[in-house]
């Protein structure tokens, strides 16, 4: 059984910062790419950023220059540092991980339960 648990969401004023964390636990052999997404009511889930095991990072244009993704492989944890937050960043933020549970298994994508981020104007 694999679990991804996000933390760090909350209420912040426009221009402020938050740092989200997502820890993967359970039967994990290896983790490939970890990423962050967000979703608002009535809209599709939006990809924000991802970081493969190599450490290189990729960002959506909407967050490039404001958000920074990083990971701690020893802790199976991915972070999202969010700066210069805007009211339009208000959403439920989800992490995911593409991982293998055994050396012989194919990789599958697992999702966290989401954490609410609200940015007030």
């Amino acid at each position: 059984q694999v679990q991804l648990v996000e933390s760090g969401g909350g209420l912040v004023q426009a221009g402020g910062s938050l740092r989200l964390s997502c820890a993967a636990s359970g039967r994990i052999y290896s983790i490939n790419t970890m990423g962050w997404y967000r979703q608002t009511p009535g809209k599709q889930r939006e990809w924000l950023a991802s970081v493969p095991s190599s450490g290189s990072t990729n960002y959506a244009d909407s967050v490039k220059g404001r958000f920074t993704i990083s990971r701690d492989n020893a802790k199976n944890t991915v972070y999202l540092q969010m700066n210069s937050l805007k009211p339009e960043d208000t959403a439920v933020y989800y992490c995911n991980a593409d991982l293998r549970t055994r050396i012989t298994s194919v990789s599958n994508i697992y999702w966290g339960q989401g954490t609410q981020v609200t940015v007030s104007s």
Side-chain angles (χ1 to χ4, degrees):
Q1 190 106 7
V2 173
Q3 272 193 317
L4 272 66
V5 179
E6 297 110 335
S7 61
L11 174 64
V12 65
Q13 287 190 331
S17 299
L18 282 175
R19 189 190 193 214
L20 305 183
S21 299
C22 170
S25 63
R27 185 171 185 172
I28 298 171
Y29 173 73
S30 64
I31 302 178
N32 301 321
T33 299
M34 303 185 82
W36 286 96
Y37 291 70
R38 67 187 178 191
Q39 189 169 24
T40 53
K43 292 189 177 181
Q44 286 190 331
R45 195 167 291 188
E46 174 191 14
W47 169 76
L48 301 176
S50 58
V51 54
S53 55
S54 64
S56 62
T57 56
N58 294 283
Y59 297 94
D61 289 342
S62 59
V63 304
K64 196 175 295 182
R66 299 189 299 124
F67 291 9
T68 302
I69 189 172
S70 60
R71 65 188 279 176
D72 184 334
N73 292 328
K75 296 181 179 180
N76 289 336
T77 298
V78 63
Y79 305 95
L80 187 68
Q81 177 67 44
M82 305 187 294
N83 299 328
S84 302
L85 283 162
K86 307 174 183 178
E88 51 264 42
D89 293 319
T90 295
V92 178
Y93 284 68
Y94 298 90
C95 67
N96 76 356
D98 179 24
L99 61 86
R100 289 195 290 169
T101 56
R102 298 186 302 276
I103 189 171
T104 56
S105 68
V106 298
S107 65
N108 287 291
I109 294 178
Y110 295 80
W111 290 89
Q113 81 288 350
T115 185
Q116 177 71 45
V117 171
T118 302
V119 184
S120 64
S121 56

